Amino acid sequence: MTSTTVRNDRATSSDAPKALPPPKLRRRPWLSVAAAAAIALGAFGGTWVWAATTDTVEVLAARTTIPRGALITQDDLERVRITTDPALAPLPANALDDVVGKRAAYDILSGGLITAEAATDDPVPGEGKSVVGVALTPAQEPGVALRSGDLVRVVVAPAVGEEVPSGAPQFSEAEVVESHRGEDGTLVVSVMVPHAEATLLAARAASGNVALVLDSGVE
């Protein structure tokens, strides 16, 4: 009797390839922390920018230096934006028309904020005062820059060829209103004096025989 071997072509379950488990993701905690920090920083930056832009106001500032007593023109002013500060009280930009045409109550430096006290309707010279122009050569001027409000003495000097007097020379006390350098190098100083002394000082200044002394403003 012949035995027949039966071939089993079906693979058993143990012979089937096993499925691989899904790869495990490697956790990186520092990435989560960095992402959270970036989000927080972005939110803070946006809040800061919003606050900075909403807390600014448009005010008036001096485009150029405006000497005391000078007439304020529109070209002297500009609009700038600043952060609000209770310690500051500048005029708003819409007050431009109220300032133009007035005079500077004191020296306003370029870039300085315009306040209500910076402009005045008081004329220059004031009541009982006169302004006299004095032209000075480099040898007759103090040698330091003059500013509006400086106290000076216009001293009578001897003419060329005359002897220096033995006694104290005559002089006029005055206050500087404005000064500028002429094309010929002379310094033209506008000084304010009492009305009664204006004619005498004008005559002395016209002769050219004067010198200007800068005095201390400290009393």
Side-chain angles (χ1 to χ4, degrees):
M1 181 175 179
T2 305
S3 61
T4 305
T5 303
V6 180
R7 183 179 177 183
N8 186 4
D9 294 333
R10 294 180 179 179
T12 62
S13 59
S14 60
D15 296 333
K18 296 181 179 180
L20 297 176
K24 294 183 178 181
L25 298 178
R26 186 178 179 183
R27 295 183 179 180
R28 298 181 179 179
W30 64 271
L31 288 177
S32 300
V33 175
I39 294 173
L41 184 61
F44 174 77
T47 303
W48 182 86
V49 171
W50 178 84
T53 54
T54 54
D55 287 348
T56 60
V57 293
E58 194 174 40
V59 299
L60 292 177
R63 188 193 306 273
T64 59
T65 297
I66 309 173
R68 175 190 176 192
L71 192 67
I72 301 175
T73 67
Q74 187 168 344
D75 292 338
D76 294 327
L77 305 175
E78 63 181 350
R79 296 178 173 90
V80 298
R81 296 198 69 88
I82 64 169
T83 303
T84 56
D85 188 334
L88 302 177
L91 291 176
N94 58 14
L96 177 67
D97 293 338
D98 297 331
V99 177
V100 172
K102 293 185 177 181
R103 296 187 180 274
Y106 49 80
D107 287 343
I108 307 173
L109 299 181
S110 176
L113 300 180
I114 305 299
T115 64
E117 295 77 17
T120 179
D121 290 319
D122 295 338
V124 176
E127 184 178 357
K129 300 285 185 178
S130 298
V131 173
V132 177
V134 182
L136 305 169
T137 65
Q140 296 170 310
E141 60 181 271
V144 296
L146 295 174
R147 299 179 299 176
S148 176
D150 282 342
L151 301 180
V152 296
R153 282 177 292 167
V154 183
V155 182
V156 177
V160 177
E162 292 184 358
E163 294 184 359
V164 178
S166 57
Q170 296 178 322
F171 62 88
S172 298
E173 294 182 341
E175 179 181 341
V176 175
V177 175
E178 185 269 343
S179 64
H180 66 274
R181 185 75 60 180
E183 295 182 357
D184 59 352
T186 59
L187 180 67
V188 181
V189 185
S190 296
V191 296
M192 186 163 56
V193 295
H195 177 75
E197 299 180 17
T199 53
L200 177 60
L201 177 58
R204 291 172 174 174
S207 70
N209 301 321
V210 293
L212 192 141
V213 178
L214 175 63
D215 292 323
S216 172
V218 180
E219 296 181 357

